[in-house]
Amino acid sequence: MRTFLTATIGGLSTAAIYAITASGLVVTYTTSGVFNFAHGAFSMMAAFMYWQVHVAWGVPTLPAIVLVVFVVAPLFGALIERVIMRGIEGTSEVVKIVVTVSLFVALLGLANVIWPPTQSYTVLPFFNNAALSIFGVKVGWARLIALAVALAVAGGLRFVFTSTRLGIAMRAVVDDRSLLQLNGGRPGRTSMLSWAIGAGLAAIAGVLLAGEQTLSATTLSLLVINAYAVAVVGRLRSLPGVFVGSVILGLLVAYGQQYVSSEAAIGPVSLSGAVTAIPAVMLFVVMVLQPQDRLEARGATRVPTAARMPSMKLALWGGLAFVLVTAALGNLIAGPDLFKVAGGYLFALVMLSLVPLTGYAGQISLAQMTFTGIGAVAMAAWGASGSPLAVVASVLLCAVVGAVVALPALRLSGIYLALATAAFGLFCSAMVFNQQDVMPGLSRQVPRLALGPFKISSDYQQLVLLAVTFALVGIGLVALRRSAWGRRLAAMKDSPVACATLGLNLTATKVAVFALSAAIAGLAGSLAGRTFISDEFGLPASLPVTMLAVVGGIGSVAGAFMGGIFLGAFPIASTVFAANAIGVFRFVSLPVTDLVAFAPGATGVSLGREPDGAAPQMAAGFRAVGESVPSLVVSFAGFAALWLLARLDVVGGWAFVAAVLVFVLAVVPLLPLLFNPEDMGRKLATGIFVGLCTVVTVFIPWDTAIASNGMRALVIVLWAVLVVRTAIGVHGAVPDVVPRGPRTSPDMVGIDTPLTRADAVDAGRVLGIDEDELDLVTGRSQ
Amino acid sequence: MTVLELESLSVRFGGHLAVSDASLRVEGGRVTGLIGPNGAGKTTTFNAICGVVPPSSGRVLLDGKDISSAGTHQRARLGIGRTFQRLEVFGSLSVADNIRVGQEIRRSWSRRKAALPQYLDGLGDPSPDVELAAILTRLDLVALADQPVGALPTGQARLVELGRALAARPSVLLLDEPASGLDEQETDAFGDLLLQLASHGLGILLVEHDVPLVMRVCERLSVLDFGQIIAEGTPAEVRANEAVLSAYLGTGPTPAPGAPGAAPVEAQ
Ligand SMILES: Nc1ncnc2c1ncn2[C@@H]1O[C@H](COP(=O)(O)OP(=O)(O)OP(=O)(O)O)[C@@H](O)[C@H]1O
Ligand SMILES: [Mg+2]
């Protein structure tokens, strides 16, 4: 009985913390329309900040709390809204999700930079953990404070939303921003305020949590993911729902901790992670219980250009060229580096799985590495001899699991799929990938493929296999996009409601595309041919995959490859830099390793400024290459020449790699422009510039100038990017970036552009008002 | 013959009754008009008919069968088609592809079904290309076939929505302000098209603020105000109805002869 009471009281105080964070989440979501995946990271930052102010700088408890919760956090929230979130208003749900996911990744990286995990951070609980005795149960003051704060937050929010002008405006803004604007409200300001409040609430939770454990950035950020499960109870919008959900989850977790021992097992299945998995399970149960979402007919956003599709011919030639280039390049890379490059290719293949799902159908998944993990483990279990049949079976398994996971979420709106997949990733980490039978010692080797007598036996062959797979799947996806089904997916992305009124079963279509996506991710796992550790399948590993796939330019096969190589390059760089902390590259005392931790997230956050991703700019150039015969000829001739120089040992391996990168990234996309006869002077300048850059690249003594491989790789990539940027600068921007149209106000139905005087005169004619009277009328109505 | 019937339909948004106890019939082979001032509940009625919003009470009958519990896509398969007041075109696809999607979705569910209504020459042709060409030709969109719809002016985009809906070959078609964005000449041609479609058996429910068009093509009119049907009858009857006049003009004088009952168009 006493243990039960202790657990109950503990559960309620945990519930209090969930309630506080989740209400912050709900406030920002309802007001700004952006579901903040980085909310947990906000709490984490606040906890560390509190440590910094209180422990490191010795500021007393109360002023420290006031500073963190009421000053720093709200300012930070407002800043985030102003700088990042306002830019993504009116973009697709996918972009919104990816931007906050990127923020999550970036903040996590930033925290690891400012507070390196090599050190230990502890904060004493409030009142030195003094306790009070209630019904004979000792209860820490910290817990009582949490409860009291939660009640105060509940009361405070209720007051703000029902009784203040501002609160009512905050509720109105989500219903229709433009409508509020027309009525004289200021959506920007309310939205900013909601981010400030949300960040403040996150900070309260962070400070309350700080006393409970040694601070760990990852654990803290993910712990607050529990708040997502709670928010779903109130359909992400209701504060009372949040409080009910918090109590349920808090108690479940507390009883779980009390009564399920970490050695418990059902048959061979260990329950050591069961308590961690409770929020994920709850999220699913709540989703299943919810009624199907309504469709909305609010007008589809119209973009003035058609989505471009590569032609089948381009896809086939591109695939072939990709395999050949990989084979040639792989030939020149030494043993251990091959393995790392293969890592990048594997990521690229996983990102390819997001092309149909996110690029074509506009849905999102945050758990692609989990599916990769399922594919990998299934292959290890069924295909010890590397049998292709086992690959097929693993892929099918992933498709089925994917369909089952997606079904409850797909009945609801897009944000739920993101939540459900995140929960699925956490669930698998807690209950699947930590099982002895699944990943003995938390690692598992995936056997390499054997096709009849031919067995993949070297890293080089493995790399080529991945390249071939990538090319085939990529060609398949292009074919899919060009088929009737692909057209249907694009249509569904543009307007789900229109598709439904034509007779399309939206749920079935989305489940099918999700299953396809899971299958491709699983294929990557089953063909990986290497050893995985269980952390590689966790949520923190999946988030950057989704993020960089979108940043690379979702919807295009090339974008997936760019994203994959980008992601693959980071581990290379960071291991090398960690090994030799090179002083030269310290920048404001920030080691390059730290930049590497921080950079992926930062790139994702910038997506708000260019929601189409990085690839479109270059893709526009590459696409034109396929249509211009001289460009094609020069491309292949250039590549062949470089390869020949390398083979003849005129240039070293690294100079070759660098030259190829610069050539492919900077020269090739500019070729069609260069062969275009207009504006000769400028073109000549650009041509000479990129030509010179390539030559310079070949003659930089890469092998001797830089000591380590990873460093070289990174510097080369940076160099290539620099050349591209500068070349575009020399030439002037490549046009073709799709402008975002403003959302039409409901009052301007049927008129997509701002009203002009001519429109008013027309309208006046219908009303029987002539032009002179019009000024009188409009004057009166304002 | 009645194809679509609403029986005391009500739709509630929180505390706001957007449609209240509305009953309405749509006959096959003619155009029925649904008019009313801004915010009267016309679009909401459409949404309730095709299952985009759930009614709080009342029934929707199609060919005498209650379809109130069917989902949106099921209702579409039973024969309800529509266009949208706030455009829901597939903006990233070309004009032809927009209509193709309509055809392809229909083909994915209609194989087993008996003959669908055929109101254009070429519609229902076994070759999708012939069918597509027939629709494009009749809507005068041939020249724009490869244009991305996102770049089209509103009027043309509305025609694309119409073509797409026709490609699914519904037995009743709901049109929500289809003529806004068309100029006078185009509106005339559009009226002819509606009459042609109706003469081949299609039931059309038309929401439109262009009064001359409504007066010309509709055989019967229902007038919605504050969610309630306040009048029903032939255009001439409705035009003379006191309640209608006051709904449109406040309590007011007789409307100008050219534009009786014209809804106020708000300029800003
Ligand atoms: N999703 C919704 N939530 C809340 N209220 C709504 C919603 N959709 C419509 N309404 C309200 O219902 C009423 C009827 O709106 P509706 O769009 O059906 O009018 P309408 O007759 O189509 O007007 P218009 O001529 O301007 O198109 C309006 O007061 C509107 O504000
Ligand atoms: Mg309307």
Side-chain angles (χ1 to χ4, degrees):
Chain A
M1 190 58 205
R2 168 168 290 205
T3 52
F4 180 77
L5 261 182
T6 314
T8 307
I9 294 173
L12 287 177
S13 75
T14 316
I17 296 179
Y18 292 157
I20 295 166
T21 28
S23 25
L25 203 56
V26 166
V27 168
T28 41
Y29 181 57
T30 45
T31 311
S32 69
V34 176
F35 186 89
N36 184 13
F37 272 88
H39 198 70
F42 281 20
S43 293
M44 176 273 295
M45 289 296 276
F48 273 101
M49 184 72 80
Y50 178 62
W51 176 88
Q52 185 73 41
V53 174
H54 181 52
V55 179
W57 295 341
V59 176
T61 311
L62 212 54
I65 293 179
V66 170
L67 184 68
V68 171
V69 171
F70 293 100
V71 181
V72 178
L75 282 179
F76 180 70
L79 186 75
I80 295 281
E81 196 279 339
R82 186 70 195 81
V83 177
I84 301 171
M85 301 305 158
R86 202 166 292 182
I88 58 174
E89 194 210 327
T91 58
S92 68
E93 189 141 59
V94 165
V95 169
K96 287 182 182 156
I97 292 171
V98 168
V99 166
T100 61
V101 164
S102 307
L103 190 59
F104 178 99
V105 177
L107 289 177
L108 205 57
L110 191 65
N112 281 328
V113 170
I114 306 179
W115 299 284
T118 43
Q119 210 180 315
S120 153
Y121 307 87
T122 44
V123 178
L124 278 182
F126 297 124
F127 302 110
N128 243 337
N129 216 12
L132 196 75
S133 186
I134 303 175
F135 305 123
V137 180
K138 278 190 132 182
V139 185
W141 272 105
R143 314 207 139 238
L144 291 177
I145 290 176
L147 278 171
V149 171
L151 291 177
V153 164
L157 288 177
R158 209 190 125 71
F159 175 75
V160 168
F161 276 105
T162 53
S163 312
T164 65
R165 226 186 114 76
L166 198 69
I168 293 164
M170 281 170 79
R171 276 194 314 183
V173 71
V174 71
D175 291 334
D176 212 313
R177 261 182 118 85
S178 34
L179 203 59
L180 183 72
Q181 210 154 21
L182 280 165
N183 293 334
R186 292 198 212 159
R189 187 177 275 198
T190 26
S191 178
M192 193 189 247
L193 187 74
S194 80
W195 276 82
I197 294 178
L201 290 170
I204 296 179
V207 170
L208 288 171
L209 282 169
E212 306 237 324
Q213 68 237 88
T214 310
L215 301 186
S216 142
T218 315
T219 320
L220 270 173
S221 309
L222 289 182
L223 197 69
V224 192
I225 284 190
N226 298 350
Y228 303 163
V230 163
V232 169
V233 174
R235 293 215 108 184
L236 308 178
R237 292 189 182 278
S238 138
L239 289 173
V242 161
F243 281 83
V244 173
S246 303
V247 172
I248 296 173
L249 183 62
L251 290 179
L252 281 176
V253 169
Y255 296 145
Q257 271 161 351
Q258 187 72 48
Y259 297 110
V260 183
S261 89
S262 60
E263 277 92 54
I266 304 174
V269 182
S270 153
L271 293 183
S272 59
V275 175
T276 327
I278 290 175
V281 174
M282 174 163 150
L283 191 102
F284 269 94
V285 172
V286 174
M287 273 195 309
V288 171
L289 292 180
Q290 283 184 349
Q292 173 131 20
D293 237 12
R294 284 193 228 149
L295 284 166
E296 269 188 285
R298 302 186 118 200
T301 8
R302 290 208 286 155
V303 271
T305 50
R308 283 195 221 74
M309 275 187 286
S311 67
M312 230 31 238
K313 199 174 77 183
L314 181 66
L316 287 170
W317 284 110
L320 185 66
F322 178 72
V323 172
L324 291 179
V325 169
T326 306
L329 207 65
N331 220 338
L332 295 167
I333 300 178
D337 289 332
L338 260 184
F339 181 76
K340 292 173 187 156
V341 175
Y345 273 62
L346 190 70
F347 279 130
L349 191 52
V350 179
M351 290 186 194
L352 207 51
S353 72
L354 288 166
V355 169
L357 183 71
T358 310
Y360 299 170
Q363 306 291 312
I364 198 161
S365 160
L366 300 179
Q368 288 314 85
M369 288 310 291
T370 304
F371 290 110
T372 304
I374 294 174
V377 170
M379 180 67 186
W382 298 335
S385 59
S387 139
L389 273 181
V391 174
V392 174
S394 311
V395 167
L396 287 178
L397 175 72
C398 287
V400 172
V401 174
V404 172
V405 169
L407 188 58
L410 286 174
R411 295 158 46 251
L412 308 169
S413 67
I415 187 78
Y416 286 91
L417 186 58
L419 288 172
T421 48
F424 176 66
L426 286 178
F427 175 83
C428 288
S429 290
M431 292 298 290
V432 179
F433 296 126
N434 61 352
Q435 301 287 342
Q436 273 305 307
D437 294 340
V438 177
M439 296 193 86
L442 297 184
S443 82
R444 185 110 194 209
Q445 170 151 27
V446 182
R448 286 187 165 168
L449 187 69
L451 294 163
F454 175 74
K455 193 165 177 3
I456 303 280
S457 56
S458 70
D459 284 349
Y460 176 69
Q461 288 169 359
Q462 176 64 30
L463 181 71
V464 174
L465 171 73
L466 287 175
V468 170
T469 313
F470 183 91
L472 289 178
V473 175
I475 291 168
L477 287 177
V478 171
L480 175 85
R481 175 63 185 82
R482 302 186 66 86
S483 72
W485 202 61
R487 202 157 32 230
R488 198 175 301 170
L489 292 182
M492 188 173 73
K493 183 179 173 186
D494 284 344
S495 172
V497 65
C499 285
T501 58
L502 291 168
L504 183 72
N505 184 341
L506 297 176
T507 308
T509 311
K510 289 190 220 163
V511 167
V513 70
F514 194 91
L516 172 69
S517 169
I520 297 174
L523 177 70
S526 63
L527 291 180
R530 68 176 173 99
T531 304
F532 284 105
I533 59 169
S534 56
D535 277 352
E536 288 177 88
F537 304 143
L539 182 64
S542 288
L543 292 182
V545 168
T546 304
M547 182 178 88
L548 287 176
V550 176
V551 171
I554 196 61
S556 75
V557 174
F561 184 70
M562 265 178 72
I565 290 302
F566 204 42
L567 189 55
F570 284 116
I572 301 179
S574 62
T575 47
V576 173
F577 288 126
N580 16 288
I582 301 164
V584 189
F585 273 84
R586 285 181 162 263
F587 168 68
V588 202
S589 87
L590 204 70
V592 180
T593 349
D594 298 341
L595 273 183
V596 166
F598 177 67
T603 47
V605 170
S606 73
L607 198 64
R609 306 212 173 276
E610 219 176 310
D612 297 316
Q617 282 250 341
M618 288 165 70
F622 282 117
R623 218 176 343 260
V625 173
E627 284 149 20
S628 145
V629 179
S631 309
L632 270 178
V633 172
V634 173
S635 306
F636 277 99
F639 184 72
L642 287 173
W643 190 77
L644 205 67
L645 287 176
R647 276 282 90 166
L648 298 176
D649 279 334
V650 179
V651 298
W654 280 106
F656 170 71
V657 172
V660 165
L661 253 174
V662 170
F663 188 70
V664 170
L665 291 181
V667 181
V668 172
L670 286 173
L671 282 175
L673 288 173
L674 297 180
F675 281 110
N676 194 337
E678 289 162 29
D679 200 0
M680 267 329 278
R682 208 177 219 191
K683 250 133 235 186
L684 206 64
T686 320
I688 292 173
F689 175 76
V690 287
L692 269 179
C693 284
T694 318
V695 174
V696 168
T697 310
V698 173
F699 288 107
I700 291 179
W702 297 101
D703 303 75
T704 49
I706 301 167
S708 78
N709 285 340
M711 175 69 115
R712 244 177 256 132
L714 191 77
V715 173
I716 288 173
V717 171
L718 290 177
W719 167 247
V721 171
L722 192 76
V723 173
V724 180
R725 278 275 168 217
T726 328
I728 291 177
V730 169
H731 182 270
V734 180
D736 237 344
V737 177
V738 177
R740 264 176 290 140
R743 266 179 43 183
T744 343
S745 141
D747 290 28
M748 301 184 186
V749 164
I751 306 165
D752 291 15
T753 48
L755 281 176
T756 61
R757 182 168 170 87
D759 296 317
V761 172
D762 277 350
R765 212 180 44 227
V766 176
L767 290 167
I769 302 169
D770 69 28
E771 208 167 328
D772 299 330
E773 279 177 314
L774 188 71
D775 296 323
L776 267 175
V777 176
T778 46
R780 197 169 49 202
S781 69
Q782 267 158 16
Chain B
M1 190 199 64
T2 308
V3 264
L4 179 74
E5 192 174 353
L6 306 188
E7 268 183 10
S8 8
L9 191 79
S10 299
V11 179
R12 185 178 278 286
F13 293 116
H16 176 61
L17 201 56
V19 177
S20 154
D21 206 20
S23 296
L24 184 77
R25 281 158 179 278
V26 180
E27 310 280 323
R30 49 161 93 151
V31 183
T32 307
L34 179 63
I35 60 171
N38 288 105
K42 305 177 296 289
T43 300
T44 306
T45 306
F46 273 22
N47 286 342
I49 294 173
C50 60
V52 173
V53 301
S56 47
S57 65
R59 302 199 299 165
V60 180
L61 304 177
L62 187 71
D63 296 323
K65 282 193 299 271
D66 186 0
I67 57 165
S68 307
S69 58
T72 302
H73 70 274
Q74 287 158 328
R75 296 186 196 202
R77 294 177 186 192
L78 290 170
I80 296 182
R82 77 171 284 185
T83 66
F84 297 85
Q85 179 181 8
R86 301 182 74 175
L87 285 171
E88 290 282 350
V89 283
F90 307 137
S92 61
L93 301 181
S94 69
V95 169
D97 277 350
N98 264 262
I99 294 168
R100 265 194 205 109
V101 168
Q103 289 179 298
E104 285 158 358
I105 292 178
R106 183 204 69 224
R107 274 161 206 269
S108 71
W109 51 258
S110 76
R111 286 213 186 89
R112 288 147 279 129
K113 288 207 12 204
L116 292 164
Q118 172 161 9
Y119 18 74
L120 289 180
D121 288 337
L123 202 63
D125 193 282
S127 151
D129 290 339
V130 173
E131 205 177 61
L132 175 67
I135 296 175
L136 287 174
T137 312
R138 185 61 187 88
L139 296 178
D140 215 3
L141 291 171
V142 177
L144 300 173
D146 295 324
Q147 293 270 323
V149 176
L152 292 186
T154 314
Q156 247 88 33
R158 289 194 187 285
L159 289 181
V160 174
E161 275 202 359
L162 174 62
R164 185 180 69 186
L166 288 177
R169 297 171 66 198
S171 51
V172 55
L173 182 58
L174 317 175
L175 301 175
D176 202 345
E177 300 191 18
S180 74
L182 297 181
D183 65 26
E184 257 168 68
Q185 218 175 345
E186 289 165 330
T187 305
D188 277 348
F190 183 74
D192 294 342
L193 171 65
L194 292 189
L195 291 173
Q196 185 202 339
L197 292 172
S199 72
H200 285 83
L202 181 64
I204 296 177
L205 182 60
L206 174 69
V207 166
E208 185 50 68
H209 284 315
D210 183 327
V211 176
L213 175 68
V214 170
M215 293 295 160
R216 181 182 150 215
V217 298
C218 295
E219 286 187 33
R220 295 200 76 81
L221 276 181
S222 291
V223 185
L224 205 58
D225 189 28
F226 291 110
Q228 282 172 323
I229 304 274
I230 55 167
E232 203 275 334
T234 63
E237 286 163 12
V238 165
R239 199 172 183 153
N241 186 307
E242 284 296 318
V244 175
L245 296 182
S246 65
Y248 268 93
L249 303 167
T251 44
T254 345
V265 177
E266 276 162 24
Q268 189 78 50

